Amino acid sequence: MKTKLVSRFAVKVVARRVKKSKPLSIVLLFVFALLSCTQKTKTIENNINWPEFMAQHDLVWEETPLQWNEGAFTGNGQVGMMIYATMKDNRLDFHMGRQDVTDHRKAPNKKTSMGVKGANLMDFSRLDIGRMYLRPAGKIQKIKVRQHLWNAEVRGTIITDLGELTFRAFTPYNRMLNVIEVSSTEKQDGKTADYTWEWKAGNPISPRALAKPESYPDIELNPKPVVSKNGDLNVCVQTLNAGGDYATVWKEVESSESASTMYLSTANEIPASGKSEVVAGKTVNDAASTTLTEVEKIHRDWWHSFFQKSFLSIPDGRMESFYWIQLYKMAACSRADGPALDLNGPFLKVTSWPGLWWNLNVQLTYWPFNTSNHLELAENYIKLIDDYGDAMLKNRFSGSTLGDYAWALHNYWLIYSYKGDWESIQNKWVPKAMDVAKIYEGKQIRNENGKIELIAMGSPEYKGFEKFENTNYNLAILRWLLNTLIESNEKAGTNLAEVEKWKQTLEDLIPYPIDENGLMIGSSQPVDMSHRHYSHLLALYPLFQLDPDSPEDMALVDKSVVHWHKIEDGKGLAGYSYTGAASLYNALGRGNDAYGIMQHFLTKQIGKGSALLLPNTFYMEGWGRNPVIETPLSGAAAIMEFLLQSWGNKIRIFPAVPDAWEEASFNDLRAQGGFLVSAARENSKTTWVKIKSEVGHPCVLKVPGWNEAIQIGGNGKVRMTKIADGEFEIALAAGQEIIVAPSPEVQPQLKPVQHNVEEINLYGVKKGMNYEEEMVYPVPEYEY
């Protein structure tokens, strides 16, 4: 009974008793008894001190960062910088990057030649911008660094034999600009630790050609950059043979004899010529003419709002820090109006892979954007598919690699699914998916039993680019594609003839090829060697065409994952083999197994050592030389999956929590269907759950261990029906929310898990933990 209704009833009782001249004390006692029987609407007590909470996850360097692989980083989703020392030359490097600076060799009149027929990576490869060197007058002895997540900035102290320099570096979110403040402390003799700046332009050639020069002996070099002065601005213009140019402009503004601020901007107005310098110069002058306090405030306000859009806290301090650093990395590397996030983000170095990869990388990269409630950062992925998808399908993916593009469409669908935007799925995703389904028709054959098989196609990276008949990779993707097309079109009442055809195809499609070790690569190819990719397991995760709620499917996938990880002692595994296995086990509800695998990824040798999780949480392959950003980001997705999953039209609360996690909490994580979900766990039990619907679709809430769910808060009475043990159907209107608990006495609280001091600030190079070798390709210093 609602409090308001009881109160009205009590007023009527009082009136009747007064008319009958009953004693007032009796009347008041009656009213009090009625009111005491009502249940107040409860709200969540929020006990998060955000600056304090985020500070325990800051990266702290106890040793000087001595190379890119140990550096601190800042970014705004388009531009950014990696910060590290080059001790042999007594300098601190600020390595600049901008994501959309690429070649465009096959498209002179466009910014990129991506999607152009005949274009390959060399034609739209990322290009290095360059580095700004800070050179102290004294000899560097040590550099102390702290990367402050809450304010998205890096602070440090450079200790030299002539005194100390302090610096602060950040990338203002609303300006295509990097800012570096430096000040010198005064020594006792009155002298200061002076410093100078020096610009070093990047080599304007594909980093892949630098990493593998023997493979590209005839590559045409772009012209050398031109460095000049334009008034008080320093300018570096890089012209490209394909046309146009990009430019970096910088200016030092002195605030005193011993302090200054450096402003640097890189603009890319390709294919235009002569405009980049103007744009970059204006960006620098606009920032320099504004108080740094104002620039800083707008920047900090954006980041504070960003972090508070969701919350997560778990008992494992290292894993919790890793998660929050990945959230920082997401916004440092991706923004709605920027390019799709490739393997490097704004932090390019000489690498074999200076671009976007489609056979796993881009898919894994975008997984954490969904549940973390940061879909705004994934708008560039929607634009990538909208702008280039048709051309890429036609010119690159119509053959044996069709599955790669079809899998990328799963990410496209996921973004709209997490929004609960079924209209966009029908109007935008369905036409693209139908094009892919049509191409798959040409890859089907009928066997002697009338069943549909698939011709030989790729299963990413297994035995290189070899093709296999009936790959589980393509069978799983095709099943997901057709099932989802059927669901969307039946809901919309469209393409009904095609729907019937798709249903028949699914009915006739052969089962997944399996053997005694579980899922195979293809019908004639077992998993008989250690292999990093889990393409043959996509039917479970992320596509959920195998049902984890089915004991038979669970046993099959469990056996398949165990075999995949143990064969040849895992010598071929990479980082995402561990984050992927964690997600697979989480989908099965096997949190202890998933937790053990994530612990291995975070703390032990990956594979046989050719892959590295770095102290700044970047991930490298090729013995530390090739950054691949998707792996740590997919690790963030796996961490969220311990706490919340939403496949199979159910919102699953703490579906795979390890036994060791007696407490945990999260707030406003996002579930498919347009729901924001919050929950807490204490003494190994879920104490309360809050769900808010953005679009007004019904949902099924699944909470292991709950016999009943009682509404204790929300904005209005919500109809809720128990449909099974631990499962409740909830009908929420758009904008409506509900707080439920197993008991009306629960007072919902949101608070971080408390960590011991040895569990905080675990990232950054720790004492004695610098790498012994500089992990770079042997590229000669570029002269211009």
Side-chain angles (χ1 to χ4, degrees):
M1 185 180 294
K2 294 181 180 178
T3 302
K4 184 184 287 187
L5 294 177
V6 175
S7 300
R8 290 175 180 169
F9 177 65
V11 170
K12 291 180 180 179
V13 169
V14 171
R16 287 200 297 269
R17 292 298 182 269
V18 170
K19 284 183 180 180
K20 294 181 180 182
S21 301
K22 294 291 183 182
L24 184 59
S25 60
I26 295 176
V27 174
L28 291 176
L29 184 63
F30 181 74
V31 171
F32 177 79
L34 281 172
L35 292 175
S36 65
C37 292
T38 65
Q39 177 65 45
K40 279 188 175 181
T41 297
K42 296 182 179 180
T43 57
I44 299 170
E45 292 180 9
N46 190 321
N47 298 306
I48 305 169
N49 181 325
W50 277 96
E52 182 180 285
F53 173 75
M54 294 301 295
Q56 67 183 328
H57 304 310
D58 289 348
L59 297 89
V60 176
W61 280 256
E62 297 172 359
E63 298 282 6
T64 302
L66 297 179
Q67 56 178 300
W68 193 103
N69 288 16
E70 297 176 346
F73 58 99
T74 72
N76 67 8
Q78 174 70 294
V79 301
M81 51 186 164
M82 185 69 78
I83 305 166
Y84 53 93
T86 301
M87 298 295 278
K88 61 187 177 184
D89 197 27
N90 200 56
R91 68 180 197 244
L92 183 62
D93 292 14
F94 296 86
H95 198 153
M96 304 294 157
R98 178 171 169 132
Q99 287 206 86
D100 66 353
V101 172
T102 68
D103 222 323
H104 60 130
R105 291 172 182 248
K106 287 288 197 302
N109 297 319
K110 296 181 179 180
K111 199 164 192 172
T112 176
S113 50
M114 179 184 290
V116 175
K117 186 174 183 179
N120 58 36
L121 176 65
M122 299 302 294
D123 299 309
F124 49 90
S125 170
R126 289 282 300 276
L127 298 175
D128 188 25
I129 301 297
R131 287 166 283 172
M132 180 59 74
Y133 298 159
L134 175 62
R135 294 189 178 277
K139 182 175 178 57
I140 298 174
Q141 298 172 339
K142 184 177 181 178
I143 304 178
K144 300 177 182 178
V145 180
R146 183 173 186 130
Q147 185 164 326
H148 296 258
L149 298 178
W150 179 239
N151 290 329
E153 64 184 27
V154 173
R155 291 177 178 264
T157 302
I158 306 171
I159 302 169
T160 80
D161 60 359
L162 294 181
E164 295 184 358
L165 299 172
T166 61
F167 71 89
R168 179 175 71 131
F170 68 102
T171 307
Y173 193 82
N174 65 324
R175 298 171 186 265
M176 294 301 115
L177 181 79
N178 288 305
V179 178
I180 310 165
E181 283 186 288
V182 182
S183 61
S184 175
T185 58
E186 202 172 279
K187 293 186 71 175
Q188 290 182 349
D189 59 5
K191 296 181 180 180
T192 58
D194 292 332
Y195 57 91
T196 58
W197 296 97
E198 179 186 342
W199 171 253
K200 182 66 175 178
N203 194 336
I205 184 177
S206 169
R208 187 175 179 88
L210 296 173
K212 300 189 172 193
E214 69 284 354
S215 300
Y216 306 96
D218 301 322
I219 189 170
E220 184 181 7
L221 304 181
N222 286 308
K224 292 181 179 292
V226 176
V227 179
S228 62
K229 290 278 290 186
N230 184 357
D232 62 349
L233 297 176
N234 301 277
V235 181
C236 177
V237 176
Q238 179 58 63
T239 302
L240 300 183
N241 290 326
D245 57 57
Y246 58 90
T248 300
V249 175
W250 64 96
K251 176 165 71 173
E252 181 184 14
V253 178
E254 294 186 357
S255 51
S256 70
E257 289 186 2
S258 58
S260 66
T261 302
M262 175 66 73
Y263 299 91
L264 304 99
S265 176
T266 298
N268 175 23
E269 296 299 309
I270 289 171
S273 296
K275 291 186 177 181
S276 296
E277 176 185 347
V278 175
V279 172
K282 185 177 187 306
T283 301
V284 166
N285 282 328
D286 285 350
S289 63
T290 306
T291 65
L292 198 56
T293 301
E294 183 179 344
V295 174
E296 172 193 87
K297 182 181 185 308
I298 295 172
H299 169 74
R300 289 182 174 182
D301 286 349
W302 188 91
W303 278 95
H304 296 170
S305 175
F306 167 79
F307 284 124
Q308 292 179 86
K309 282 195 70 176
S310 62
F311 172 77
L312 176 159
S313 185
I314 55 179
D316 189 304
R318 178 182 296 276
M319 196 173 289
E320 183 178 293
S321 290
F322 180 83
Y323 171 81
W324 284 101
I325 295 167
Q326 301 324 299
L327 248 65
Y328 170 83
K329 193 185 293 179
M330 280 165 49
C333 293
S334 183
R335 58 189 292 136
D337 58 351
L341 178 52
D342 64 15
L343 297 184
N344 304 272
F347 311 110
L348 184 69
K349 67 188 291 288
V350 174
T351 170
S352 294
W353 304 323
L356 197 67
W357 254 254
W358 293 78
N359 65 358
L360 171 142
N361 308 80
V362 72
Q363 291 90 340
L364 272 63
T365 294
Y366 278 88
W367 282 347
F369 292 70
N370 301 317
T371 307
S372 68
N373 194 23
H374 289 296
L375 294 178
E376 74 281 1
L377 300 181
E379 286 300 314
N380 53 42
Y381 185 85
I382 295 293
K383 193 172 188 301
L384 171 72
I385 300 297
D386 287 346
D387 289 352
Y388 301 108
D390 290 346
M392 295 292 282
L393 179 61
K394 178 182 178 182
N395 297 327
R396 178 175 174 183
F397 290 116
S398 60
S400 64
T401 59
L402 176 61
D404 296 352
Y405 180 73
W407 184 11
L409 282 186
H410 180 257
N411 287 72
Y412 188 94
W413 174 85
L414 269 181
I415 291 168
Y416 284 121
S417 179
Y418 274 87
K419 288 182 178 181
D421 187 354
W422 312 127
E423 182 178 351
S424 291
I425 287 176
Q426 181 63 29
N427 295 336
K428 297 185 65 179
W429 176 83
V430 164
K432 295 176 174 62
M434 288 180 68
D435 288 343
V436 174
K438 187 68 176 176
I439 298 175
Y440 264 118
E441 287 181 18
K443 301 184 183 302
Q444 300 169 16
I445 56 174
R446 292 272 179 180
N447 65 20
E448 63 276 11
N449 298 318
K451 289 293 185 179
I452 294 176
E453 298 191 24
L454 296 181
I455 64 172
M457 300 178 71
S459 183
E461 299 183 356
Y462 200 85
K463 296 185 177 179
F465 296 97
E466 192 169 329
K467 302 173 187 178
F468 308 95
E469 294 177 351
N470 299 315
T471 59
N472 272 323
Y473 178 64
N474 282 284
L475 285 170
I477 290 170
L478 179 57
R479 280 193 168 91
W480 167 78
L481 191 78
L482 297 184
N483 277 318
T484 312
L485 277 170
I486 291 168
E487 178 185 33
S488 187
N489 282 287
E490 284 189 333
K491 189 181 298 184
T494 56
N495 299 309
L496 298 183
E498 293 294 312
V499 165
E500 293 307 310
K501 183 177 70 174
W502 297 327
K503 287 182 177 180
Q504 190 61 54
T505 298
L506 288 170
E507 180 72 22
D508 295 343
L509 198 60
I510 66 165
Y512 298 112
I514 61 174
D515 62 10
E516 68 277 7
N517 294 315
L519 291 159
M520 303 169 66
I521 298 298
S523 55
S524 60
Q525 177 59 58
V527 180
D528 58 4
M529 66 179 195
S530 185
H531 173 55
R532 61 185 183 173
H533 208 301
Y534 50 98
S535 57
H536 63 298
L537 302 172
L538 295 194
L540 174 71
Y541 182 92
L543 302 178
F544 292 100
Q545 298 306 291
L546 290 172
D547 183 5
D549 290 335
S550 160
E552 182 180 354
D553 287 353
M554 176 182 281
L556 171 63
V557 177
D558 182 73
K559 177 168 60 175
S560 303
V561 176
V562 170
H563 173 71
W564 167 52
H565 256 243
K566 76 177 183 181
I567 189 170
E568 294 188 305
D569 196 28
K571 70 177 185 180
L573 299 180
Y576 59 74
S577 310
Y578 292 87
T579 62
S583 289
L584 285 156
Y585 277 131
N586 275 333
L588 295 173
R590 297 187 54 167
N592 290 336
D593 294 315
Y595 182 58
I597 284 175
M598 277 299 295
Q599 282 290 343
H600 187 121
F601 169 69
L602 293 175
T603 62
K604 298 179 181 179
Q605 186 183 74
I606 301 169
K608 292 300 180 183
S610 64
L612 297 171
L613 180 64
L614 304 179
N616 57 11
T617 80
F618 279 77
Y619 167 76
M620 290 280 189
E621 292 183 0
W623 304 101
R625 295 175 296 185
N626 296 319
V628 269
I629 208 165
E630 85 292 317
T631 291
L633 293 182
S634 66
I639 292 169
M640 287 184 282
E641 289 157 0
F642 288 114
L643 311 180
L644 177 68
Q645 297 175 31
S646 57
W647 49 270
N649 298 315
K650 294 179 183 179
I651 297 173
R652 301 162 190 266
I653 307 298
F654 298 120
V657 178
D659 292 340
W661 290 7
E662 295 184 0
E663 58 179 330
S665 62
F666 62 89
N667 186 57
D668 283 348
L669 294 184
R670 182 173 286 272
Q672 292 184 48
F675 298 99
L676 297 179
V677 187
S678 309
R681 173 181 172 89
E682 295 180 10
N683 300 318
S684 300
K685 295 180 180 178
T686 302
T687 54
W688 58 269
V689 178
K690 185 184 82 169
I691 304 175
K692 179 179 180 179
S693 174
E694 292 185 329
V695 294
H697 301 306
C699 67
V700 174
L701 173 67
K702 183 170 184 176
V703 188
W706 275 20
N707 293 321
E708 60 179 334
I710 300 168
Q711 181 175 356
I712 62 172
N715 54 349
K717 185 67 175 176
V718 177
R719 179 172 56 83
M720 184 165 49
T721 305
K722 181 177 179 178
I723 57 177
D725 287 343
E727 294 190 16
F728 310 90
E729 188 174 62
I730 302 175
L732 289 167
Q736 192 172 28
E737 64 181 47
I738 184 175
I739 305 174
V740 295
S743 166
E745 284 75 36
V746 170
Q747 174 54 57
Q749 292 184 338
L750 189 67
K751 58 184 180 181
V753 177
Q754 297 301 307
H755 298 297
N756 297 325
V757 64
E758 61 268 17
E759 291 186 281
I760 67 174
N761 304 122
L762 293 176
Y763 288 97
V765 181
K766 301 309 175 185
K767 195 71 175 175
M769 297 303 291
N770 286 111
Y771 288 116
E772 294 182 0
E773 61 173 312
E774 186 179 9
M775 290 173 281
V776 296
Y777 284 99
V779 178
E781 187 74 10
Y782 173 59
E783 299 296 338
Y784 64 94

